[in-house]
Structure formats: structure tokens, C-alpha cells
Amino acid sequence: MPDDLPFLTITEARGLLDRREVSAVELTRAVLDRLIDVDERVKAYVTVTDHMAMAAAMAADRRIAAGESTPLLGIPAAIKDVISTRGVRTTCSSRMLEDFVPPYDAHVIERLTAAGAVMAGKTNMDEFAMGSSTENSAFFTTHNPWALDRVPGGSSGGSAAATAAGEALFALGSDTGGSIRQPAALCGVVGVKPTYGRVSRYGLVAFASSLDQIGPFTRSVRDAAIVLNAICGLDARDATSAPVETPDFTAGLTGDLRGLRIGVPREYLPDSLEPAVRQVFLDAIEQVRSLGADVDFDLSLPSTEAALAVYYVLAPSEASANLARYDGVKYGYSYQDGASMWENMERTRQHGFGDEVKRRIMLGTYALSTGYYDAYYLKAQKVRTLIRREFDAAFEKYGAILTPVTPTPAFRIGEKANDPVAMYLSDIFTLPVNIAGLPGASVPSGFVEADGKQLPVGLQILAKPFDEATMLRVGHAYEQATEWHKRRPAL
Ligand code: GLN
């Protein structure tokens, strides 16, 4: 039995399981042991479901013994704590839902369960997915496995860190403005945000409904395709779930980029981009070129500069509506010692929500109020259309667009915690993708040095709506030609 079981790709683990060289119980035990070993330092998990995991692994072994071999059967996974799991506490890393146990599974959990995946536990995040560092978790901050004094990114920082640290073979996260791609880049793993509508959001606790998507963290692009195969598809319980066919996402992973035209938008190489990160990006472009793609730097997406403003009107507006449900009456935390119903409601929200969540609710309520709606919300919607149209026009010419994922590598814990705008800026390259509803991926593309440590950097790959196949093809070809994805944090 190999001694690095927790660091296998899904594809490698499948081979071992199918050849009976390792059992799902052994694989799950190895991942849980690794978790016990390192999670005190990484703090990726909010809840560890070890007993359930062992039971699921035993069930997987029975299915394997009966001759079944589906790609995720017996594979241990980590789930962001914003995704509802029946009978397992789902906190959104908020006091508001600290003791909330959902009575049903999210669509993606039903899919993973049917596929035979094994849930190791629920991962830490910024409260209600609002943030870029997991520092907004009401419970604790997750640490970057590559440098424990640094953030893993966010909001899905726990899922990214768990995947990077060998505490799961893959993970699920959610991405509203970058929360899969940004932490994936900062932790050196693959992260994919599918096209808006590709994955049902039934059972995903809502943040900003016109932007939210669920997607995977993995150690290879092929693994991401495998997880997408399992979780994508129409679901009548989510009205925005798209009636499109799910192709086999592994089919186009040829390693060849000949004939593909790729654009690099100049707005994604601003002066604020750290020089070392810029160099990593330019090296990646050269690599992609050498694989046969025709890369063109003569692309401009001028509305990009408005994306941050558009996002911070639209996302808080939608959040203010979505979070109105936490009133202490229906479920979640409830303050009951007030003199009136109104006082109870007020105190419930005062105590239950953290500062960033309150900031968003106030911003959103303001933007939607009479007299301001036209000036902010409606205006933001119009600019949103412009951003989408610019991408549409670019994709008439290019099969894919490449950009950096983040302007800097992982920053120090505390460095941006008191400066919301500095924190918001860490998503400038990822937000436009949600605004336009496109698929986006982050793949490991190199390292930069800071404080004597090697910090991972990611390459962002974009494609037109529902063309994940091209995005994955580029990511896979690049990955096959490089070694970045094979490095592991020393911990
Ligand atoms: N960092 C962004 C925010 O705080 C994006 C978060 C996300 O994608 N969930 O809104």
C-alpha cells in the first residue's frame, strides 16, 4: 500500500481501489489520520464526520466488491460548510447557524452520495461566503498549508486548504466572486467555477443568487472534470439550473492546443500586479504558446475597471434580501429575552451576524432603497450587461481567455483584516467572471518567494458560457507540460 494515500489524485486512487490494492476503508482512514495529524495547524475543518465517513467507506467497499467502478466510489471529500448536509450541522461559519442541522441534502450532496464519494467533513469559510481569507469565519481562521502565518484565501479557504494539505482527495466550494478560484490559486490546487446554471444550487445557502455557483477543488484538471461529471446537470428544484446536456468533461483532455486562439486582456495586467506574479503569468503564457495555441495580447475589455463597483452593489443587494430570513423565528440562532418581538429580531441579527455580514446587509439595503435604487442597483445591472457583452464579443474571436487569478500570492493573516477595500481588491480578476456568468478555472502555475517561503500562484482560464470543455482542455494541456501541481506543502 502506498504511504502517500492522502495525496493521491482521484484518478490514481481509482486505479488502486479497482485493482484492490487499497480499500476505501484504508483510503478513508489514511485521510482521517492525516487530518488528525495536521488540522490542528491548518484548521480547515469546522466539523469532522469521521464515523459517517467510515460507514460510507465500508458501503463503498461492498459496492466495489460487487464489481462497481464509478469514478468517485470510495473517494474522500471535504464539503464547504455552506452546502446543506442532512443530519450534519451546516454553519456557514456563522453564529447564526452554529447549531443548524439541515433536514435535507443539497443537490450536489445527493449526487456525490449516489456516486459513492465519502464525506470527511465540513470546511471552514468566511461567514456566509463573504470574504477572501476565511478571517471572517465566526469560529477561527484557516491557515495556508504553504505558510501557516498566511491566509488560504476565501471564502472557500477551508476546502482549498484541505485539498492542498492532504485532508481530502477533493473538495467542494462555492464561488460568488472568486471564492473557489482565489483560494485554489493561493493554496496551489485546481479550482473550477462552472458556468452559472451548470450546477444546481438547491441546498446551497444563498449569498448572491445571480452569482453563486458550486464547484470543485482538486489536485489535477482531470480530477476536476471527474467531479464536474458527477455534480452538473438539470435540477427542477433550482429555477436557474440550465436545461443543457452534461458532456463527459474528461473527453477533450488531449494535451494538445493546436488551432486554439487565446486572448489576454490588457486590463488584467495592471500596475498593481506584483512583478513576481506577472512574471509567473508571462511564463505560463509562453508555455501555453509552446503547446500550439495562438496567443494574442491585443485584447481589451474596457468595462473591467467597473467590475468591482458593480459587484459590490449587486452582491450586497442580493445578500440583503437573502439574509432577511435569519430573523430568529424560523431557524438558527434566536434571541428571546427582549421586551418585544421587534427587540428579539433586532438582537438576533445583532448577535448572530459578524461585522462583514452586517456591512454587506447595510450596503445592500441602502442600494435597494427608494431614491437610490435607480442610481445604484439599476445602474449596476446596466454595466453588468456591458461587461457580459464585451466578453461575448471577445469569445467570437477567442476560444479561451487567460489572466492571473490574483494580484498577489497569499497575504499574512491580519494584513488586510481591517481594510475591507484592500480585501475586496484581491478578487479583481475573478469578479467579472461571475458578473458575466462564465466558467472559470484556476490551475497551479508557479511559485513566488516571500519570507523565505514558496507561495503558489494560479493561472485563470476562461471560456464562453457552457464551454467548460475548452477551459479544461487548456488547463489540462498546461498542467501536463508543467510540474507545479505535483508539489506539496511541507507542513
Ligand atoms: N470575496 C468576494 C466577496 O467577499 C467573493 C466571495 C465569494 O465568491 N463567495 O464577496
Side-chain angles (χ1 to χ4, degrees):
M1 191 164 65
D3 57 4
D4 58 351
L5 291 179
F7 281 98
L8 295 177
T9 61
I10 296 171
T11 314
E12 290 162 347
R14 177 85 270 126
L16 293 174
L17 289 164
D18 287 349
R19 293 193 300 273
R20 312 288 197 271
E21 284 167 36
V22 67
S23 69
V25 164
E26 286 164 339
L27 180 59
T28 302
R29 190 67 263 162
V31 166
L32 292 173
D33 285 347
R34 170 79 183 166
L35 193 160
I36 290 166
D37 209 25
V38 301
D39 207 51
E40 227 167 273
R41 283 169 285 153
V42 177
K43 295 180 154 308
Y45 283 89
V46 171
T47 304
V48 179
T49 50
D50 46 354
H51 294 292
M52 276 179 63
M54 291 314 288
M58 281 190 257
D61 278 333
R62 284 193 293 274
R63 284 167 67 175
I64 292 168
E68 214 183 302
S69 165
T70 42
L72 294 177
L73 185 55
I75 306 292
I79 307 295
K80 185 179 183 181
D81 215 13
V82 69
I83 295 172
S84 297
T85 42
R86 181 161 42 108
V88 176
R89 171 173 101 108
T90 298
T91 67
C92 292
S93 289
S94 178
R95 296 271 168 240
M96 194 59 97
L97 293 176
E98 193 166 1
D99 302 311
F100 173 60
V101 178
Y104 64 92
D105 276 329
H107 174 82
V108 291
I109 298 298
E110 292 175 353
R111 289 292 191 93
L112 289 187
T113 305
V118 172
M119 181 171 84
K122 306 291 296 286
T123 55
N124 196 31
M125 52 186 279
D126 287 297
E127 185 176 7
F128 285 103
M130 299 173 188
S132 309
S133 68
T134 78
E135 289 166 294
N136 294 336
S137 166
F139 308 138
F140 47 81
T141 297
T142 300
H143 298 250
N144 191 310
W146 295 89
L148 292 170
D149 60 337
R150 291 180 184 255
V151 304
S155 65
S156 315
S159 282
T163 307
E167 300 181 66
L169 266 59
F170 75 96
L172 291 186
S174 64
D175 190 313
T176 305
S179 282
I180 292 174
R181 289 158 290 153
Q182 186 255 18
L186 270 39
C187 288
V189 295
V190 175
V192 173
K193 181 200 94 74
T195 309
Y196 185 73
R198 227 347 152 189
V199 180
S200 166
R201 293 172 300 118
Y202 176 78
L204 172 71
V205 178
F207 163 11
S209 307
S210 77
L211 302 158
D212 299 339
Q213 261 298 282
I214 297 171
F217 291 91
T218 58
R219 296 199 191 105
S220 76
V221 173
R222 178 174 299 280
D223 281 5
I226 289 171
V227 179
L228 289 176
N229 280 350
I231 64 173
C232 292
L234 183 63
D235 172 24
R237 296 167 300 185
D238 174 357
T240 64
S241 164
V244 292
E245 240 180 273
T246 306
D248 175 1
F249 290 111
T250 64
L253 307 180
T254 56
D256 185 3
L257 297 182
R258 269 173 301 176
L260 188 67
R261 291 199 71 187
I262 292 179
V264 177
R266 71 176 64 97
E267 289 78 7
Y268 286 73
L269 296 170
D271 293 337
S272 57
L273 186 61
E274 234 179 70
V277 176
R278 175 189 302 262
Q279 195 51 51
V280 165
F281 177 72
L282 295 175
D283 291 347
I285 294 296
E286 275 321 304
Q287 188 74 54
V288 167
R289 237 185 207 141
S290 74
L291 293 164
D294 174 10
V295 184
D296 183 3
F297 281 82
D298 191 25
L299 168 62
S300 175
L301 300 168
S303 299
T304 301
E305 61 166 12
L308 189 75
V310 167
Y311 179 87
Y312 279 99
V313 171
L314 295 182
S317 295
E318 294 181 24
S320 73
N322 275 327
L323 272 60
R325 71 189 64 166
Y326 304 104
D327 55 8
V329 177
K330 301 180 197 75
Y331 49 78
Y333 169 74
S334 178
Y335 182 90
Q336 309 216 322
D337 297 332
S340 66
M341 178 195 82
W342 296 112
E343 191 188 335
N344 283 341
M345 218 177 264
E346 202 175 301
R347 297 244 182 271
T348 292
R349 291 169 70 80
Q350 204 170 63
H351 302 167
F353 290 137
D355 288 347
E356 184 61 27
V357 174
K358 287 179 194 162
R359 182 178 294 123
R360 306 278 178 116
I361 292 172
M362 285 190 280
L363 273 171
T365 307
Y366 180 79
L368 292 176
S369 55
T370 316
Y372 295 105
Y373 181 91
D374 290 4
Y376 295 110
Y377 188 73
L378 207 62
K379 185 74 160 278
Q381 290 286 30
K382 288 179 181 164
V383 182
R384 178 179 201 168
T385 303
L386 292 179
I387 292 172
R388 169 66 187 251
R389 281 191 193 144
E390 284 177 10
F391 275 116
D392 285 348
F395 285 121
E396 288 192 2
K397 215 167 148 197
Y398 304 108
I401 289 176
L402 296 182
T403 80
V405 183
T406 56
T408 70
F411 43 91
R412 267 184 228 90
I413 291 171
E415 196 176 319
K416 298 185 183 179
N418 298 318
D419 186 349
V421 175
M423 189 70 87
Y424 296 172
L425 280 167
S426 47
D427 294 309
I428 42 168
F429 302 146
T430 51
L431 301 169
V433 181
N434 302 70
I435 291 172
L438 311 174
S442 171
V443 297
S445 63
F447 289 79
V448 302
E449 202 192 297
D451 302 340
K453 290 192 184 106
Q454 294 288 311
L455 304 176
V457 173
L459 171 69
Q460 182 168 240
I461 307 163
L462 312 178
K464 59 173 171 288
F466 299 105
D467 191 17
E468 282 84 358
T470 299
M471 175 183 85
L472 295 167
R473 177 180 155 212
V474 175
H476 172 78
Y478 172 74
E479 178 188 86
Q480 294 310 297
T482 58
E483 299 281 318
W484 310 119
H485 63 292
K486 293 188 181 151
R487 287 210 205 164
R488 292 174 194 172
L491 267 177

